[in-house]
Amino acid sequence: MEFKFENLEVWFITGAQLLYGGDAVVAVDAHSNEMVKGLNDSGNLPVKVVYKGTANSSAEISEIMRAANGDTKCVGMITWMHTFSPAKMWIHGLMDFKKPLLHLHTQYNEEIPWATMNMDFMNLNQSAHGDREFGFITSRLRKPRKVVVGYWKDKSTHAKIATWMRVCAAWADAQNMRVIRFGDNMNNVAVTDGDKVEAEIRLGYHVDNAPIAKLVPYVNAVSDTEIDALIAEYERLYDFADDCKKGAEKHISVRQAAAQEIGLRRFLEDKGAKAFTTSFDELEGMSQLMGFASQRLMAEGYGFGAEGDWKTAALVRSMWVMGKGLQGGQSFLEDYTLNFAGADSAILQSHMLEINPEIAKAKPRIEVHFLGIGDAGVCARLIFQAHEGEGIAATIVDMGSRFRMIVNEVKVIEPKALPKLPVACALWIPEPNFEVGAGAWITAGGTHHSSFSFSITTEMMEDYAEIADIEMLMIDKQTTIRNFKQDIRNNEVYYMLNKALR
Ligand code: MN
């Protein structure tokens, strides 16, 4: 699926004022140009920074902000106050601005030029207090933003900007995301459901229904030649169980799964959808539940949620965008079964079929088995175990009055062989340990489904929650149940009052 950071831009504006004369602004402009060029030439940023000049008045600032809102390539704005930029000038522009904001607190010169510094230098290089003035007005306006502090040539500064840029890209992608549901939310299941109107207002994406009957003709129209070509690709990428190989009795199910993959991809392309959900109870006209197709499409960037879980489908897509080009892979996963083993107590993560082969440790194997739930039928699937490593599991739940994001850092460990359970899986220990990690997740009301990633960081999810302006509960090495419960109580009050404060 087409997605390129190269098609996006982050704009950079430098705050100044005309009090110190035109020469000062010319110098500010030259420094800013050099700094933006330095950021772009560093090779550390996934999205191009475009310098939009100095901002010296309320009118200029408003004009740049309105232009940024209207430019689809622009996914965010970096602001930096080279001189003192009186912040009342920023009120109208910031109130109008609708995109992610990063306030960079840096300085053109690295060290104080002790021997030569005079008052002209002081008047020009004022970010030490100019950025505080700007910080006040963004706080006064309750404007969500990321504050990055660091020298503009430092790699650690670039890393923080790069993290935020990835999230900006995912945010822009979500504002133009259509999620297709084949079938409704699983009957009676609460946690995966939610307010789709609020989701579009708050998180940007649009959730639509598609009857499975609309997909069936797409699958039926796939030609034998197309299936042959895709089977050849499977043979290059995966091992086949003996009874699934060409000529063997179950090979027909693999061919049917290949037709589903091609038909489903075509359907989603026609609908302009980036994510989808399936239902094992709505499969009339289908040979099997589209589990194998879901595995394959997830690997190319489509968001996926099982049993109508559109919130997870959208989050899987957004996390794919954030992690694009990074090592490790990501997947839809479900808390399956517990393994009590003292300090190594862990949760087996799996699903009936739909795990992204990008997280596989070794070459996945195609197997075909009957799946005795709903109308799932005899289903092809890719079987593998996830590689070990550190990752994060994330979910968004609808608390009625707000969305709550929950993120748990986890350590994926090696599972034992599961010869009688033909599914892909991962085994993880949640941080800070099984007892507190699982306890906090449950206390927060977290789903049994999650979007998991080896490649994206907690900081990205924090940036995401900041941009979306939603609640974020973090479960990591520092978490204790006592403090976590207090965070939840504090948040209840904060979000109740939040609207009144704005
Ligand atoms: Mn499930």
Side-chain angles (χ1 to χ4, degrees):
M1 181 184 230
E2 190 70 5
F3 177 86
K4 285 193 173 127
F5 287 121
E6 289 81 0
N7 295 337
L8 307 176
E9 296 175 355
V10 160
W11 290 10
F12 187 109
I13 48 175
T14 305
Q17 62 171 324
L18 299 172
L19 182 69
Y20 310 115
D23 288 352
V25 173
V26 170
V28 165
D29 199 49
H31 289 168
S32 302
N33 263 308
E34 186 185 337
M35 289 164 69
V36 169
K37 186 174 186 310
L39 290 172
N40 284 323
D41 290 349
S42 74
N44 296 327
L45 303 183
V47 176
K48 182 173 58 182
V49 184
V50 178
Y51 177 52
K52 289 288 172 178
T54 59
N56 302 295
S57 68
S58 182
E60 281 179 23
I61 292 164
S62 289
E63 195 181 323
I64 295 168
M65 293 303 190
R66 282 198 300 269
N69 285 340
D71 191 310
T72 51
K73 291 190 302 301
C74 173
V75 297
M77 179 81 76
I78 298 175
T79 53
W80 168 58
M81 305 302 117
H82 191 316
T83 69
F84 193 78
S85 183
K88 286 181 190 169
M89 293 190 328
W90 288 84
I91 291 174
H92 292 286
L94 283 172
M95 284 177 72
D96 284 347
F97 187 56
K98 303 286 185 218
K99 292 189 174 180
L101 180 66
L102 185 147
H103 178 196
L104 178 61
H105 182 48
T106 190
Q107 186 167 271
Y108 173 70
N109 55 299
E110 186 169 15
E111 292 181 355
I112 293 173
W114 300 99
T116 59
M117 187 161 67
N118 58 17
M119 203 41 91
D120 285 345
F121 181 95
M122 287 305 300
N123 284 335
L124 190 63
N125 296 279
Q126 294 193 322
S127 49
H129 70 282
D131 278 327
R132 281 168 170 75
E133 168 76 355
F134 183 78
F136 167 73
I137 206 64
T138 38
S139 289
R140 175 68 179 76
L141 292 168
R142 274 83 181 175
K143 197 80 187 163
R145 83 280 198 192
K146 178 169 187 159
V147 178
V148 171
V149 180
Y151 190 53
W152 58 280
K153 289 182 180 175
D154 285 353
K155 269 192 185 152
S156 60
T157 307
H158 300 164
K160 285 176 223 155
I161 297 171
T163 291
W164 172 82
M165 282 177 160
R166 288 179 168 278
V167 182
C168 289
W171 183 252
D173 181 76
Q175 307 315 300
N176 180 29
M177 188 199 303
R178 189 179 188 186
V179 184
I180 293 280
R181 295 185 310 146
F182 298 104
D184 204 344
N185 184 70
M186 186 174 162
N187 287 342
N188 271 319
V189 175
V191 73
T192 53
D193 219 339
D195 183 340
K196 299 193 286 294
V197 176
E198 187 65 16
E200 187 153 353
I201 294 168
R202 179 63 61 182
L203 301 165
Y205 43 79
H206 179 75
V207 185
D208 266 341
N209 176 55
I212 200 80
K214 301 270 187 187
L215 175 61
V216 170
Y218 279 77
V219 176
N220 290 344
V222 175
S223 72
D224 281 341
T225 318
E226 290 175 309
I227 296 173
D228 289 343
L230 195 52
I231 294 285
E233 185 181 328
Y234 295 166
E235 286 172 341
R236 281 197 302 279
L237 292 172
Y238 315 121
D239 291 329
F240 279 62
D242 284 343
D243 60 2
C244 296
K245 288 176 179 166
K246 256 181 207 153
E249 52 171 320
K250 292 182 175 174
H251 186 67
I252 182 67
S253 292
V254 182
R255 291 185 67 84
Q256 287 165 345
Q260 285 186 335
E261 177 187 329
I262 295 165
L264 181 54
R265 183 184 294 108
R266 218 161 260 162
F267 184 91
L268 295 172
E269 281 169 358
D270 278 359
K271 301 293 177 195
K274 299 170 182 173
F276 66 101
T277 71
T278 58
S279 164
F280 56 73
D281 261 340
E282 186 163 335
L283 292 166
E284 287 75 13
M286 291 296 229
S287 61
Q288 58 186 283
L289 176 58
M290 304 86 90
F292 185 92
S294 302
Q295 293 183 292
R296 294 269 306 164
L297 290 179
M298 232 188 301
E300 63 189 67
Y302 284 94
F304 171 78
E307 293 105 39
D309 185 353
W310 50 272
K311 285 195 268 74
T312 304
L315 190 58
V316 167
R317 163 68 186 187
S318 290
M319 288 170 69
W320 178 83
V321 173
M322 292 180 207
K324 182 126 201 285
L326 301 177
Q327 293 294 307
Q330 64 137 23
S331 183
F332 168 84
L333 281 171
E334 176 174 280
D335 298 293
Y336 231 44
T337 305
L338 307 178
N339 188 52
F340 285 100
D344 291 329
S345 291
I347 311 168
L348 185 71
Q349 301 290 322
S350 186
H351 206 258
M352 297 182 290
L353 305 166
E354 308 92 343
I355 317 296
N356 187 344
E358 278 195 316
I359 64 171
K361 184 177 187 178
K363 199 176 186 181
R365 187 175 69 260
I366 295 180
E367 293 189 18
V368 170
H369 300 278
F370 177 70
L371 183 58
I373 186 167
D375 303 321
V378 176
C379 304
R381 77 284 306 270
L382 286 167
I383 298 178
F384 55 87
Q385 296 192 329
H387 63 85
E388 292 97 71
E390 290 178 2
I392 61 161
T395 187
I396 293 177
V397 292
D398 185 341
M399 297 304 291
S401 55
R402 65 181 180 277
F403 288 112
R404 166 181 286 170
M405 172 176 274
I406 306 156
V407 177
N408 195 179
E409 294 180 348
V410 301
K411 190 166 65 183
V412 178
I413 59 172
E414 191 173 11
K416 292 182 183 168
L418 288 162
K420 303 286 190 189
L421 187 75
V423 292
C425 68
L427 181 69
W428 74 45
I429 304 175
E431 295 288 0
N433 55 55
F434 170 77
E435 185 186 345
V436 175
W441 186 277
I442 289 168
T443 300
T447 38
H448 53 281
H449 288 163
S450 67
S451 175
F452 166 78
S453 175
F454 278 115
S455 52
I456 80 173
T457 59
T458 300
E459 187 183 345
M460 286 185 205
M461 303 314 288
E462 286 171 327
D463 287 357
Y464 180 92
E466 175 76 18
I467 291 167
D469 202 9
I470 59 171
E471 183 183 9
M472 160 87 170
L473 290 170
M474 185 66 224
I475 309 168
D476 61 10
K477 290 184 177 73
Q478 274 75 51
T479 298
T480 64
I481 293 291
R482 183 183 299 150
N483 291 344
F484 192 76
K485 286 174 82 168
Q486 192 57 47
D487 284 346
I488 289 174
R489 290 188 200 106
N490 295 347
N491 287 354
E492 290 287 359
V493 178
Y494 170 81
Y495 283 95
M496 205 187 301
L497 294 174
N498 195 28
K499 282 199 176 100
L501 287 169
R502 278 161 197 266

